[in-house]
Amino acid sequence: MLDIELNDIPDWNCCAASIGYAGGGELPRLSLSARNLALSEQHHPGQHVVATCAACWLATKETKERLSHDPELFAETNTVLREAGLQLRNETPVRHMVEVLIEDVGYDRIQQAVRKPLKDIKIAGYVGCQTNRPFGIAGESYENPKYLDKFVEVLGGSPVENYDKKVSCCGGALIFSEPEKSQALIKDIIEAAYDGGAEMIVTPCPVCQMNVEVYQNHINQKYGTKFNMPVVYYSTLMAVAYGKSAKEAGLDGQMIRAKALEDIAGR
Amino acid sequence: MNDINRSMLEQYRNRFLREVEANVEEGQWVKMCMQCGVCAGSCPMGPYWEHPPQELFMMIRAGKREEVLSSTSMWMCTSCYNCIVRCPRELPITHIMHGLATYAKRLGLVPKDQPTAKFAQKFWNNLTKKGRVNELKLGLALYFMNGFAEGVKTSMKMQDVGLGMLKSKRLDPLEILGGHGVKDKAGFQAMLKKAEEIEMAKIAKNQAAGG
Amino acid sequence: MAEIKVGAYICKGCGLGERLNIAALEGTAKKAGKANVVRSHDFLCSQDGVALIQADINQEGVNRVMIAGCSRRAKTEAFNFDGVSISRANLREGVIWIRPDTADAKETTQDMAQDYVAMSCAEVRRMTPPTANDKAQLNRQVLVVGGGISGMTAALEIARAGYKATLVEKSAALGGWAGKLYRRVADRYPYADPQSNGVAELAAAIQAEPGITVRLNTLVARTDGAPGRFVVALASESGETVEETFGAIVQASGFNRYDLANLPEMGGGALPDVIDQAGLEALAVAANGGAIKRPSDGKEVTSVAFVQCAGQRSEKPGHLPYCSGFCCTTSIKQAMYFKDRNPDVDTVILYTDLRTPGVAGEDFYRSGQRKGVTFTKGVVSGVSQQGRGPVVAFHDEILNEDVNLDVDLVVLATGQVANAGVNIDIPPQADGQPAAGQPVSILNLGYRQGPDLPQLKHGFADSHFICFPYETRRTGIYTAGPVRRPMDIAQAQEDATGAALKAIQALENAGLGRAAHPRSGDLSFPSFRREGCTQCKRCTVECPFGAIDEDEQRYPQFNEARCRRCGTCMGACPVRVISFENYSVETVGQQVKAVEMPDEFSDKPRTRILVLACENDAYPALDMAGQNRIEYSPFVRIIPVRCLGSVNTIWITDALNSGYDGILLMGCQKGDNYQCHFVKGSEMAHYRMSKIGDTLKGMNLEVERVTTYEVAITDIQRIPALLNDYAATIEKIGLNPLKDF
Amino acid sequence: MTDVIATNQTILVVGGGISGMTAALEAAECGKQVVLLEKNPSTGGRVSQLYKYFPKLCFPTCGLEINLRRLKANRNIRLLTMAEVEQVTGSPGDFTVTVRIRPRFVTEACTACGDCAKAVTSEFPNEFDYGMSQRKGAYLPHNLAYPSRYVLDARVAGTAEGQAAKAACKVGAIDLDQKEEVITLKAGAIIWATGWKPYDAAKIQPYGYDRFANVITSVEFERMLDPFGPTQGKIRRPSDGATPKNIAFIQCAGSRDRNHLKQCSRICCMATLKQTTYVREQLGDAAQSSVYYIDIRAIDRIDDFHRRVKEDPNVTFVKSKVASITRDKASNDLFLNGVNTEGYHRYSNRHDLVVLAVGMEPSVPAGTIPAQVRANPHGFIELDPATGIFGAGVSSEALDVNRAVQNATAAALRAIQVVNRVAGAEG
């Protein structure tokens, strides 16, 4: 529909997100993403590496950046890659899916493709951390990025203006090791969305999506709140707006069902 | 106290800053801190830090080796990068926190039962086994990480989450059969082994040279 | 001297024509004003209007021009005629803009305007176009006192501008403190490393500069005269003294080292390995790139602590209450001496506020950090000797704990003590010699008011003005470098260059007999009637600029080139023998008298209030009140004065005798934070007016009838309010009983 | 057509703020010919927008009045307003400068009587008040504006209001046909005194200047104190006009920060200490001031002033760079979040007004000057006599007024050295 074609990096490996550090040191961690980049250069020369996950994008892009600024580290990485029969030229642009949508496709074309505008749905655009920092989307500020709101707008929804917790952290991987502390953060994120009059939260980050959605019961138990806030991935919004069925849009995958979207998809 | 720790103590005596610069990821940035505290104020886990980053940096300069490396503080980092983007002096604080954590772990100074340390280790083990993370195994391992009894409680507590995610097909039940990982496992693991070697070689050098 | 011919020109523009009876004003100018030529014009500041006036000057021989229209502060460039005296009756800002355009205000407004016309005619009739004094002479030679980096720079910059400089240094070599530095702080991007102190290069440049004469081992034995004709006796070590004349003087006498013995609690003077920054420079010079060794046992220094603000920023006796500004970067630089050679040396800088301002400062700070210098925010409680070396006890402000730091060497960052010579505010002994404990004089001025420059604060000979850092109370003598204010080398060189310009400007002005700032270009200067003078010395004592000496017969000697034309002497003179060609007891006194006093049979309101307003602040504020159409009493008659210091009490008594009901003086803020542009003028006026109370009682008058206010140029709303309140007060106490005598 | 007599012995001064005026006056009072350019309609620059100077707490207009009197009296200086340098070619002793002059639509004939302003109704954000107030389309920039001539805003010049203004002017000073013109003139030496502008506070995102009404800048705070300013001299909260009781001052707002200006702007600490005295003077014990700082840089004698302020029980100092500001929607109060690094104390302090001590940015970054100058990467001019172009005031370094004037006086001599060499060569 927006004619973007993605192909898997053959035999990709996990980037260790930003939690590998207890086990692996600097070089082992960097080599993980370096391997993916090397594979991409080998199998899809000239293609961009596009990540749909914030953590993957950040880890991969950071690797690219640090290796290009640190010759010694770059050399060591290649020594390491040789063990896997690989070599890295480090020439591949690393991009986030959102970047591709905004910069290559553009809001206009995203809008043109809309079949079922998300009318009268108030949506809090929760950008989170790693899609936003330290790289972020060109031209956006760290504290109050606007692209997700624009996104909601072009899909026909109405964004929550200056959503207070737009870029605050959901605890990321610490949701596992420090559940109480992380859930406290999540509580604020959802609370702020309700304050802004949101019916649902949209996010470009899978980690955020999961963390903010799946722990609402626990938060309700602990804090006596009555949260029942759907949290959807931005692609879900697009799918619905572009006329896909609830199933195709993966709405059945929501633990907290996004009724408003299901209705539109059902029409 | 393990051997590396013992010999590092020997080599660096009271010059902890030099030790950090030589052995900790991005450690050479520590000296650039001007104690404005913007990192400490920007951290989402702020309230739980025993010593916030800027204070850790001051402690490093003051040679408080034991206190720093056995602190739980750097394990509070959620990698949200807020400190990095706000730091007026360009310190890659997130990485320094990760680096301190790694170093503390190598020196065997991590406080017992530090949950993030344990989880991060489990995550790493899980990942390095096959090159990809098996979420369900990781999940289970995680819930049992504090021993059996605790584990039962946790998994009960988390049951709905687990089931809910199964229902919503977020976790592929097949994964329990360990279906899914990199094909070139040998190369993958050789790569990681080599990387580890190179780093440990450096550290060994510093042990000898004292930075 | 051609006969006086007054031309009165009345403008009808800006609504004056509509609001005022111009014919009546012309009448006033003719009758009361005795103007020889009277004309009105629709738009006097137009080319046509200006041409009209110029034509009268050329053809009619008009040599006194009275312009009634806008304020003297407006259209100054248009009404700028050579060879004639000009006065301005302020009918716009001063009358129609501050009065309502109503029927019942019409008469009082007109009265106001007519009085101002009469006053300006009276004033201009008593003015003569000033001619520069005949003693004016151009001398392109500048004396620079002090051969440190400031003095060397000043001399070089003066010579490079095509003037001549004589550089006098008391020691045997040029360079001063800078010459003793191993390296100086970087003065160019990237502001990263210590660099050569630059003294050798400067000295070579001075050598090569034919315009500069260097005199080493030489002191200034005596300085007489004035800008353009300073006569200076230079005494060399050998005892011979030469006399030279100079157009202006730059004093770059620098600073003295703070005495470490004042800091025993820090080990100052007591512990061998506790030194000051100058001490460390000496060690570094001795090491000459090698390892720096500590004094006590010559051990190579492996750890050093720098204690910032040692004996500074503190009210304790013997301490310096100020921050010397340069010490933070200097300590960073000195820490680099160690780090650049051996990164393993531990260097700690203990500070409370790290003061590295600007681009240069912050870059240098970062560079220090990059080189591994440790910066600790800590308050040092003391330094003691324990075993082999000193131990610094301090409270770490960040980690909030007390620490004892063992080091090989401690460097105390002590401050600069100004070397400004004798403090002339401390009265000399009976024999005229400086009071005990006073340092030796630097300039040995033969001035009535003392041998050196007045000091501002903490012993520094600085200007009090933010906008005018080179304002000096001894015209033609400018301080530069740390004698003016604590500063580093880069600033001192900037400062020296600025002072060099002021010196050149002073000698050029002196050559033309022109006043220096703030009355720049004024050619008039005070003269006195010798036969009338009672030798009371008030003028010589009260001159804010020490411009007036006493000659052999103890008469005042005016040294016009030193004079700043404020008129404080004129205000001081009890027998009124001092006057300027264009500003005198007469020019103001006659304005006071020119105001029409309605007699007891008049049906007009009879209150009249005389306002003597400082032309620098009060008068502009009044203009701006007009600009904003803020109303005030129609009974005030305002006369601008050069400075409240020039107000002679005769004006007050004459005014009261001629029937004014009250007199208001408006001058600038006095006291420690004085804003008076002539330093003491406002102060003097307040003092003199405080004395007038008795006179008033003698005349059976209420003290309120003479009131003095401190105002500022920003009191655009306050001043009209003050005038109105005062008018109300006068209403309350009633008319002046002397009115109708 | 503006005609200017200038030779290769003329000194061109670019910028009519206090540094440029000083350089021009000091040179002219040495007998030199000077052309002074100012891009705004009137001289005075940044300092004319300040309420008081530190540490004397005296009024900038006081010194401005003196300088204006010197300027009016001096025939060696030719002042061109609304003029900007387009290009400089040539070499020391022989520069050719092209200058673009925007139309004022009001001629020298103007008497500043104000009739035109009465005839014009439309209003525009007042630049002099940083847009905190409105001004007429025909206006005198401020009380001490010099030249004392009105300005007709280009946006009304072409309209019926322009005609109305023209009709209202009895002295025929309004010329609606004025066009932008470009002139070229000679100069022997150039003094570059284009000064500074406040750093754009909106770029400091964590402080929400662009989102929160009660977060203002230090320069805006100065304007509030002017009786003729946007709040008639009263300290007020923009959100509701209420009098603040608990004011925060945030230091290094845009300075000492790799995300913004790397340099320390030098003046901000003193400006804040000064502004706490405004609060004390106007609100007494009814208001508290809190200063959030990294280092208080009160150099030399000025440290006395620093100590005096510290003695004020209503002023507290917190060693901390504030991490972020959040707003209480109901009250529009602000929460400053951060850590006091002296002993690690977390805070989330409530304030009802926040003043950002914004840094100094060169108005014309040295790298963009249309001439050969020696520039450092921070955008300031470094001394290089070989160029014949000399920085004066803040175009050469972040300076306070006193140091800027000192620096401008030095620049005047450097320029004189060049033209005197020319004079010498030409005999």
Side-chain angles (χ1 to χ4, degrees), chain C residues 218-287:
Chain C
T218 302
L219 293 167
V220 175
R222 184 169 176 86
T223 306
D224 289 305
R229 49 179 181 84
F230 283 113
V231 181
V232 182
L234 300 171
S236 71
E237 210 175 22
S238 58
E240 46 134 356
T241 297
V242 295
E243 203 167 82
E244 289 187 38
T245 64
F246 298 96
I249 299 172
V250 172
Q251 181 182 336
S253 46
F255 68 98
N256 293 317
R257 193 170 174 175
Y258 177 79
D259 181 2
L260 270 184
N262 291 325
L263 302 172
E265 70 281 13
M266 299 274 185
L271 305 184
D273 295 325
V274 175
I275 59 177
D276 63 7
Q277 291 179 323
L280 185 84
E281 293 296 338
L283 293 181
V285 168

Side-chain angles (χ1 to χ4, degrees), chain B residues 130-172:
Chain B
K130 290 198 176 155
R132 298 188 191 176
V133 178
N134 175 327
E135 280 132 346
L136 191 52
K137 276 191 194 153
L138 174 63
L140 294 175
L142 180 72
Y143 298 141
F144 285 98
M145 84 183 169
N146 303 333
F148 184 75
E150 176 60 15
V152 173
K153 272 209 256 84
T154 329
S155 64
M156 296 302 284
K157 220 161 81 210
M158 289 294 166
Q159 203 175 33
D160 59 332
V161 174
L163 293 179
M165 292 177 78
L166 279 174
K167 273 207 248 83
S168 59
K169 310 202 182 42
R170 220 50 93 55
L171 301 166
D172 179 352

